[in-house]
Amino acid sequence: MNALNIALKDLQIFFKDRGAVVQLFLLPLLFIVVFSGALAAIGGSGEEEDVRIPLPVVDLDAGVAAQTLLDGIDAAGGVRVESYAQEEAQALLEESKLARVLTVPADFTADIASNRPVTLRLVNHPDAGAEKTEAVRLVVEGVAQDMSLESQILASLQQMGEMQANAPQQFQVFTVERTMAQARSQFERSRTQPLVELVQTVPGQEGEREEMPEAIQLAVPGFTVLFVFLTAQTTARSVYDEKKIGSFRRLLAAPMSKASLLAGKMIPNFITGLIQTAVIFAFGIIGMRLLGLASMTLGDAPLAVALVAVLVALCSSGFGILIAAIARTENQISGLSSLLLWVMAILGGCFIPLFILENFLGPLPKIVPHYWANRAFNDLLVRGLGLADVAAEMAVLLAFTAIFFVIGLWRFDFD
Amino acid sequence: MNAISHILSIAWKEIQLIAKDRGSLAVLFLLPLLFGSLYGSINLQMAGNGDDPTILLNICLVNEDAGIFGEEVAKPLRGIDELEIETFDAVAEAEQRVAKGEAAAAIVIPADFTQEINAYTPTSIEVMVDPAQPESASIVTGIMNQVVAEVTIWGEVQYGIRTILDEPGVLAEASAEVRRAVEAQNLGVIMTRLSEMRRNPAIVVTSEDLEGAQIEGGITLFFALMFPGFTVMFAFFTVGMSGASLLNEREAGTLRRLLAAPIPRGAIIAGKMLAYVMLVCLQVVVLLGVASVFFDMPLGKSPVALVLLTIVLALVATAMGMLVAALSKTAKQADNAGMVLGFVLAGIGGCIAMSPTPITRTEGFMSVLSKLTPHAHALEGYYSLMAENATFAQVLPEIGILLAMGVVFFLIAVWRFRFE
């Protein structure tokens, strides 16, 4: 009972501190909206708008091959072909009214037909975005490569036919016209029906093409873990404040055990962590939808998600006691421990997807509880796994909690 | 002269206070350094520019096809440095590995792959990807597209030759052996020529700027957005700190003592601001310095503009701190308001680079919204200077807007602040 009384008192004190409430509840929601990239969705409201990069083109050739090339570029996606006359394009480019101009040389069609190498020039204004330029170049190059290959195949067939023309009649197995017609019909066909197709699937979904998860499915759990652990700081601060004003000594003088005193300090942290998780997840699921942004789902095992959330809140409480036991000054509690908590969050994959971190840092992220919490949430929310699959992660979280609590208890200075 | 010495002595006092606040200094310097170098190194590695070879992905390969085309897909995969290929016999086993996130993707070549290609029937290869690793998925798909393109060309050529040889009259009286020989010979000749041709494409695409110089692209340009992003974001984290420090002084009563001293009020505020302006400038120097030395981030061609932009950025951040102090009742409130503002404005201003160019250059609502934040203008200025070698005159509008914002913040602060 004593522990609960202290917990209740601390919760009341905590929720009176509006700054702390803002930090622990409002900030994560802002984080989600601002940093999950969801805001970008607002910008793209005009659905019918052509968002492709405009590519002004000067077609000096005006032949069949040039038209095929430009149609190919326009159809490739990402780039919209706009026709200009040469002088006009040059003038607009120099006045910075155009970002770039692609020039198809005169005789393009004739050169392709006779297999002479040609060069397409993409001229960019110095202020043009380098990334857009690169994107445009890749599209143009892709289409040009396909055309190159086709024209080269045809040219080499022609060449072979000419070589064969000198051979005796009985060795001439096929005519040039026939082979070229065959090649052309196959080019046509391969455009609409590729011989080998790549089908991307996600495990668990039978053969169906599954959309990759929205960024928010990774972002919400990550920020939840970050902020639930930041709550640990509040516990440490509450212990520090009580020690400073002397009420901690009074509590000690009261007829109750040290354990229940510590438990009473931990419970508010635990409850706050649970409320945080609930608020942040609810916002990710409902709030984001109300805002018209991409929202998240709870995966296939909501119960397991809840269980992991409980363990994360517990682990954060343990960490709170640890900070309270080790940090000696106000500076250490507010400055250094927040640095520590943020570093742990970065290491533990609250900002950067775990697989990238692991690829980069090796086993290092495993030393922070955040890693295991994020891994469990990832498995449940993104990979659609169940409770049994995250048993190991949950066990590690429990172990972290135990270690934090034991060290905290051992080092805790009651006087 | 006197005023200046007052300002300097107040600033010196403030600097000493700041230097003692190690926790805040860690947040202002270490955290962005950590974020920046981690994101920077990861980006370098993903772009394949690092000292180490590029990112390594675990891939499960299930080749159910016993024929030549299946092997033709599997063989090149084993030669790719980025992929660590593990072979499985059963699809279920490979799927399990991907489902658990132990492998980035599983590639399944169906049993009748060679047969289907020989029969010229469209077929498919399944690439099963881990939904938690979208970046890996796109790398694997990109590699597979190239590998499959090779096989497709081979299959097409083979079919073409066969169709022609099958025509009545062509090799009609030849034995099956002879036909196979002719087919194989033609295929060999054509494939050899094809690989030669693809090394020398008929159509070359060049990309150049107006003067004809080749355009440089790549990761260092992205760094000219990413590092200033972190820098600007953390520069504005001083807002809460400077605001709170002014109010702390009022709460502790030391502001009253300062007022009682023969120092003009303006000098007190100016001194405080000077200290924080210097703090922000130091932040920028450290962060951009590290980025330039360790990540080859370009610094552009106009150091004067860079310095001026930095000073103006520091002025805006500090003026915003004074504004927050003027509008807050307690130091704690100022601290919290500063933090929330820091995150929100950084997000809106595009400090966390999610697009390859500054948010001000995108189209739509966000771009308009971002232009209301000083962050976006500072970023736009840094990016133009460092990535695009803009001249002083070209970033003058950004510097002007920032300065105007700073003046507005400061005037409101002066109007609303209560010294008592």
Side-chain angles (χ1 to χ4, degrees):
Chain A
M1 260 341 272
N2 283 333
L4 285 184
N5 282 334
I6 292 182
L8 192 64
K9 169 199 68 104
D10 272 3
L11 272 177
Q12 282 171 333
I13 292 178
F14 171 74
F15 280 97
K16 267 201 194 128
D17 180 0
R18 255 179 287 157
V21 174
V22 164
Q23 255 193 54
L24 296 179
F25 289 95
L26 192 62
L27 215 52
L29 307 190
L30 287 172
F31 256 62
I32 292 170
V33 176
V34 172
F35 294 123
S36 68
L39 271 181
I42 301 178
S45 52
E47 276 162 34
E48 306 197 356
E49 205 180 331
D50 196 344
V51 292
R52 297 179 296 169
I53 305 172
L55 175 62
V57 171
V58 175
D59 183 2
L60 298 175
D61 174 58
V64 189
Q67 200 50 51
T68 312
L69 174 82
L70 298 182
D71 289 348
I73 294 171
D74 204 53
V79 173
R80 180 177 72 232
V81 170
E82 287 171 354
S83 243
Y84 283 89
Q86 188 173 23
E87 296 77 22
E88 187 194 3
Q90 188 63 32
L92 288 175
L93 190 64
E94 275 164 17
E95 288 168 32
S96 310
K97 298 227 171 83
L98 290 182
R100 54 188 69 80
V101 170
L102 178 74
T103 310
V104 181
D107 303 329
F108 181 74
T109 304
D111 285 339
I112 293 280
S114 50
N115 203 28
R116 279 191 296 271
V118 284
T119 303
L120 296 171
R121 280 178 65 224
L122 182 64
V123 178
N124 305 280
H125 191 273
D127 289 347
E131 304 285 336
K132 273 193 185 172
T133 299
E134 185 61 13
V136 169
R137 194 186 65 78
L138 284 176
V139 170
V140 174
E141 200 168 68
V143 176
Q145 261 173 10
D146 285 351
M147 277 188 76
S148 290
L149 192 63
E150 279 193 25
S151 83
Q152 284 173 324
I153 288 178
L154 291 176
S156 66
L157 287 177
Q158 179 114 38
Q159 221 174 354
M160 280 171 65
E162 280 158 11
M163 275 156 53
Q164 282 199 342
N166 302 325
Q169 191 63 38
Q170 66 268 31
F171 292 118
Q172 287 196 26
V173 287
F174 31 71
T175 64
V176 181
E177 292 74 30
R178 180 61 195 93
T179 46
M180 288 180 61
Q182 177 65 31
R184 285 207 179 89
S185 86
Q186 278 179 246
F187 290 143
E188 276 311 312
R189 192 185 129 111
S190 66
R191 257 180 229 132
T192 54
Q193 196 179 19
L195 186 55
V196 182
E197 203 186 356
L198 276 188
V199 183
Q200 187 174 312
T201 59
V202 169
Q205 273 91 19
E206 282 307 314
E208 281 300 304
R209 194 194 162 84
E210 171 82 353
E211 287 285 310
M212 291 304 264
E214 302 276 358
I216 187 156
Q217 202 75 5
L218 286 166
V220 169
F223 291 147
T224 308
V225 172
L226 163 70
F227 281 98
V228 170
F229 273 100
L230 281 180
T231 305
Q233 223 182 342
T234 327
T235 305
R237 174 170 289 277
S238 140
V239 171
Y240 176 83
D241 284 347
E242 292 229 36
K243 279 186 182 171
K244 198 165 94 180
I245 60 174
S247 59
F248 197 77
R249 198 164 288 171
R250 290 197 193 174
L251 285 176
L252 276 177
M256 67 168 142
S257 66
K258 287 178 177 176
S260 56
L261 176 58
L262 273 193
K265 283 281 163 202
M266 268 180 79
I267 292 172
N269 189 338
F270 177 66
I271 293 176
T272 309
L274 286 185
I275 301 176
Q276 278 180 297
T277 312
V279 169
I280 300 172
F281 271 55
F283 182 76
I285 297 167
I286 303 162
M288 292 296 274
R289 193 169 307 151
L290 290 179
L291 284 175
L293 303 170
S295 58
M296 66 172 285
T297 67
L298 271 188
D300 300 330
L303 208 67
V305 174
L307 216 57
V308 173
V310 168
L311 287 177
V312 172
L314 205 60
C315 195
S316 155
S317 316
F319 199 67
I321 292 297
L322 182 68
I323 302 177
I326 291 177
R328 295 276 170 232
T329 66
E330 174 146 28
N331 205 340
Q332 283 174 356
I333 287 177
S334 61
L336 293 181
S337 76
S338 76
L339 181 72
L340 180 69
L341 283 164
W342 278 88
V343 170
M344 285 167 79
I346 298 172
L347 262 188
C350 291
F351 295 92
I352 303 167
L354 285 180
F355 75 97
I356 296 183
L357 269 182
E358 281 189 293
N359 231 310
F360 185 65
L361 297 173
L364 186 65
K366 291 188 177 150
I367 62 168
V368 293
H370 300 59
Y371 168 85
W372 300 93
N374 279 322
R375 214 167 98 159
F377 279 133
N378 262 350
D379 280 354
L380 294 172
L381 297 175
V382 182
R383 298 201 171 103
L385 301 184
L387 183 60
D389 299 296
V390 293
E393 284 83 1
M394 292 187 354
V396 176
L397 277 177
L398 257 183
F400 267 108
T401 312
I403 293 171
F404 291 156
F405 194 67
V406 166
I407 299 181
L409 209 57
W410 167 47
R411 304 290 302 178
F412 200 89
D413 184 9
F414 280 95
D415 298 313
Chain B
M1 202 50 226
N2 218 357
I4 291 176
S5 80
H6 285 316
I7 291 173
L8 286 181
S9 59
I10 300 259
W12 176 237
K13 173 214 71 151
E14 197 65 34
I15 288 169
Q16 283 173 312
L17 282 178
I18 295 172
K20 273 201 189 131
D21 188 358
R22 300 236 185 90
S24 299
L25 285 181
V27 169
L28 292 180
F29 286 90
L30 287 184
L31 216 49
L33 272 182
L34 201 81
F35 262 114
S37 31
L38 196 59
Y39 269 83
S41 318
I42 287 174
N43 272 303
L44 262 187
Q45 208 178 25
M46 296 286 266
N49 290 2
D51 298 332
D52 295 320
T54 39
I55 195 160
L56 190 69
L57 300 175
N58 284 319
I59 304 293
C60 301
L61 178 67
V62 184
N63 185 4
E64 296 181 321
D65 180 54
I68 183 157
F69 284 112
E71 186 49 34
E72 210 54 38
V73 172
K75 200 171 59 189
L77 285 181
R78 290 193 198 100
I80 293 171
D81 288 339
E82 288 93 337
L83 306 183
E84 174 83 34
I85 305 279
E86 202 180 339
T87 316
F88 288 87
D89 292 328
V91 178
E93 221 174 311
E95 181 172 354
Q96 197 57 29
R97 298 262 300 158
V98 178
K100 292 217 160 134
E102 287 157 2
I107 295 161
V108 182
I109 305 170
D112 46 9
F113 189 64
T114 299
Q115 221 176 326
E116 299 269 34
I117 292 183
N118 280 337
Y120 201 56
T121 326
T123 177
S124 63
I125 289 180
E126 185 181 357
V127 181
M128 211 183 291
V129 297
D130 179 3
Q133 311 186 21
E135 289 84 353
S136 309
S138 63
I139 295 176
V140 175
T141 316
I143 291 174
M144 281 306 289
N145 269 324
Q146 283 188 8
V147 172
V148 162
E150 295 294 320
V151 174
T152 307
I153 291 172
W154 187 358
E156 291 276 0
V157 170
Q158 175 184 289
Y159 171 72
I161 294 169
R162 227 171 251 174
T163 313
I164 287 166
L165 292 183
D166 279 348
E167 279 183 8
V170 179
L171 293 183
E173 60 272 23
S175 68
E177 235 165 81
V178 171
R179 283 178 55 146
R180 260 203 298 278
V182 172
E183 194 183 303
Q185 190 193 10
N186 276 298
L187 186 63
V189 170
I190 292 178
M191 290 310 288
T192 316
R193 288 194 61 86
L194 272 184
S195 65
E196 264 168 43
M197 282 188 247
R198 298 172 84 202
R199 273 197 293 276
N200 304 303
I203 308 172
V204 180
V205 181
T206 62
S207 183
E208 59 206 48
D209 71 10
L210 269 175
E211 283 83 40
Q214 288 288 321
I215 295 273
E216 284 181 62
I219 194 78
T220 51
L221 287 187
F222 176 65
F223 283 164
L225 180 62
M226 194 196 84
F227 281 105
F230 283 123
T231 308
V232 171
M233 175 165 151
F234 279 87
F236 278 91
F237 281 162
T238 59
V239 165
M241 198 177 161
S242 60
S245 104
L246 184 57
L247 293 184
N248 262 332
E249 199 126 18
R250 189 172 70 186
E251 281 164 24
T254 49
L255 189 63
R256 195 167 293 170
R257 289 196 196 177
L258 282 175
L259 287 175
I263 304 173
R265 289 181 173 194
I268 298 173
I269 301 297
K272 239 186 206 314
M273 285 181 70
L274 179 63
Y276 281 94
V277 164
M278 285 161 72
L279 179 67
V280 173
C281 288
L282 188 65
Q283 261 186 307
V284 175
V285 169
V286 169
L287 295 178
L288 295 190
V290 166
S292 163
V293 172
F294 293 100
F295 292 93
D296 287 333
M297 182 190 71
L299 286 176
K301 294 196 173 132
S302 177
V304 179
L306 209 55
V307 169
L308 208 67
L309 181 63
T310 303
I311 292 174
V312 175
L313 166 73
L315 278 174
V316 181
T318 316
M320 194 188 257
M322 296 302 110
L323 177 64
V324 165
L327 299 181
S328 305
K329 288 204 178 69
T330 64
K332 199 141 191 212
Q333 220 177 41
D335 202 15
N336 282 319
M339 187 173 58
V340 172
L341 267 179
F343 279 117
V344 172
L345 293 182
I348 297 174
C351 288
I352 300 291
M354 279 173 301
S355 59
T357 48
I359 194 162
T360 38
R361 309 215 181 149
T362 56
E363 281 161 26
F365 176 67
M366 272 315 287
S367 164
V368 178
L369 194 61
S370 75
K371 284 181 185 140
L372 297 176
T373 66
H375 299 60
H377 292 286
L379 261 185
E380 171 69 36
Y382 279 121
Y383 186 76
S384 314
L385 282 176
M386 303 194 307
E388 297 169 343
N389 292 324
T391 59
F392 182 59
Q394 279 168 316
V395 293
L396 213 50
E398 307 304 335
I399 293 180
I401 293 171
L402 282 174
L403 202 57
M405 283 181 168
V407 169
V408 170
F409 293 159
F410 185 70
L411 287 180
I412 299 178
V414 168
W415 171 45
R416 301 292 301 178
F417 188 71
R418 298 283 168 264
F419 278 89
E420 302 294 330

